[in-house]
């Protein structure tokens, strides 16, 4: 994920570029983010599936908590939260993602779609 965020910062914006260039740079960055996430989620599934002892300990901890106040995430949920915190919420990703969502929302509204 460190390489994803470092390559993200190098192309996250196009100084002095047009809106179209910025949109293209944002889309390229988000494409790399999605590809990186696919790789990470495959790795996470393999780790979560192959670490039986750790998975059992997490399950035991979760089992000892009341169902409506579970504080211990599953191994997969913890891994996804770590990816979100380290990569998706990184300023080099968050700003292009927000711009992309804004452009998509505006496009939907222009074409009569709802959000």
């Amino acid at each position: 994920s460190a390489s994803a965020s470092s390559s993200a910062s190098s192309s996250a914006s196009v100084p002095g570029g047009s809106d179209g260039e910025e949109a293209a740079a944002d889309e390229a960055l988000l494409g790399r983010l999605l590809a990186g996430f696919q790789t990470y989620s495959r790795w996470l599934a393999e780790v979560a599936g192959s670490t039986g002892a750790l998975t059992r300990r997490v399950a035991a901890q979760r089992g000892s908590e009341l169902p409506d106040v579970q504080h211990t995430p599953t191994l997969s949920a913890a891994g996804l939260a770590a990816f979100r915190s380290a990569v998706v919420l990184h300023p080099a990703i968050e700003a292009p993602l927000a711009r992309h969502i804004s452009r998509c929302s505006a496009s939907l509204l222009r074409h009569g779609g709802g959000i």
Side-chain angles (χ1 to χ4, degrees):
S1 68
S3 65
S5 61
S6 66
S7 67
S9 61
S10 65
S11 63
S13 64
V14 180
S18 69
D19 288 341
E21 289 172 333
E22 180 180 66
D26 289 350
E27 288 180 19
L29 173 69
L30 296 176
R32 289 192 306 277
L33 173 67
L34 288 173
F37 178 73
Q38 289 173 342
T39 301
Y40 178 79
S41 63
R42 281 192 303 269
W43 172 83
L44 181 60
E46 189 172 322
V47 168
S50 66
T51 55
L54 179 58
T55 302
R56 286 189 295 279
R57 288 187 70 168
V58 169
Q61 176 63 36
R62 287 177 53 82
S64 70
E65 298 170 353
L66 296 175
D68 56 339
V69 285
Q70 292 219 327
H71 299 290
T72 305
T74 63
L75 195 54
S76 296
L80 294 174
F83 184 89
R84 178 181 180 268
S85 295
V87 180
V88 176
L89 296 179
H90 189 280
I93 301 289
E94 192 174 23
L97 180 59
R99 287 191 302 266
H100 184 73
I101 290 170
S102 179
R103 283 190 299 271
C104 289
S105 298
S107 178
L108 279 172
L109 292 174
R110 276 193 311 273
H111 293 94
I115 298 177

